[in-house]
Amino acid sequence: RSPFLNELSTATLFTILAFLILFSGFFSGSETALMTLNRYRLKSLADKGHKGAQLATNLLKRPDRLLGLILLGNNIVNIFAATLATIIALRLYGEIGIAIVPFVLTFVILVFAEVTPKTLAALKPEKIAFPSAFIYTIIATPLYPFVWLVNLFSNTLLRMIGVHPDTITKQELNADELRAVVLEAEHFMPQAHSDMLL
């Protein structure tokens, strides 16, 4: 165990652990938000000069790098949280605490750092994705060497199974999908315009 962590009070460790859970929730929620953004609305907002949309667009041009950045941060936070939780459990319950930690921490992370933030992000993607894009743009440069190393191994594995991450597939709508988009947007336009587009 780290001598530095041992010098901190249990209350301080709980506080740090709470912040780590929040950071984990940020990484999880922002991943879902960025990946579920409506690409057509995103392009429209970016073309109109929306800064958050422009930054999100730049990040999504290389989803492998973005995912590498998010997962790097999320894993560092979760591993550090597990370390802190183990130290706290040892202080409070002794050796038996080590057996308790995995169950308690798994429940806490699932509720507060996975399911809740991801559900919120899926419901309100733009409100989470655009502010997150500012943060990721700032931290992308100093963390790039680590992300590059992770992506090097990941992309090598993908190429071995015939997938080329550098090839960006342009998503296009077929006739049925375009019809579905118009039907979903009917209440935003006059009936005559909707009928004409259909």
Side-chain angles (χ1 to χ4, degrees):
R1 292 184 292 170
S2 169
F4 170 72
L5 293 177
N6 288 334
E7 292 175 2
L8 298 176
S9 67
T10 303
T12 301
L13 292 179
F14 267 116
T15 302
I16 297 173
L17 180 59
F19 275 106
L20 290 173
I21 299 297
L22 287 175
F23 283 131
S24 180
F26 162 75
F27 285 119
S28 298
S30 60
E31 176 190 357
T32 299
L34 284 161
M35 294 302 163
T36 56
L37 281 172
N38 182 305
R39 296 299 192 268
Y40 298 98
R41 175 168 167 75
L42 180 63
K43 185 179 185 305
S44 175
L45 290 172
D47 290 342
K48 291 177 182 177
H50 189 290
K51 188 62 177 176
Q54 291 172 343
L55 293 176
T57 299
N58 289 333
L59 290 169
L60 289 167
K61 285 179 181 177
R62 284 300 301 268
D64 57 329
R65 291 181 182 173
L66 176 59
L67 285 173
L69 178 63
I70 293 172
L71 295 176
L72 176 66
N74 204 13
N75 278 283
I76 289 173
V77 166
N78 286 343
I79 291 170
F80 193 30
T83 302
L84 284 184
T86 301
I87 293 172
I88 292 170
L90 281 170
R91 286 186 183 181
L92 297 179
Y93 304 107
E95 296 296 326
I96 192 66
I98 298 176
I100 299 172
V101 165
F103 301 101
V104 175
L105 191 60
T106 297
F107 176 79
V108 170
I109 287 179
L110 278 175
V111 173
F112 296 101
E114 291 291 336
V115 177
T116 302
K118 285 188 174 185
T119 302
L120 178 62
L123 295 173
K124 304 285 184 180
E126 291 181 10
K127 289 187 177 181
I128 295 175
F130 294 155
S132 300
F134 282 92
I135 297 172
Y136 285 128
T137 301
I138 293 170
I139 66 174
T141 301
L143 291 179
Y144 179 75
F146 303 101
V147 175
W148 177 85
L149 185 62
V150 170
N151 285 337
L152 175 65
F153 286 98
S154 175
N155 292 343
T156 300
L157 290 173
L158 288 172
R159 289 189 184 95
M160 289 173 65
I161 60 173
V163 178
H164 299 280
D166 295 329
T167 304
I168 299 174
T169 303
K170 185 178 180 182
Q171 293 183 342
E172 297 180 348
L173 294 178
N174 60 34
D176 290 335
E177 291 167 340
L178 188 56
R179 181 181 179 84
V181 171
V182 175
L183 287 171
E184 287 182 7
E186 272 188 321
H187 57 284
F188 291 117
M189 66 182 81
Q191 185 64 41
H193 292 179
S194 174
D195 292 341
M196 187 191 316
L197 289 169
L198 290 172

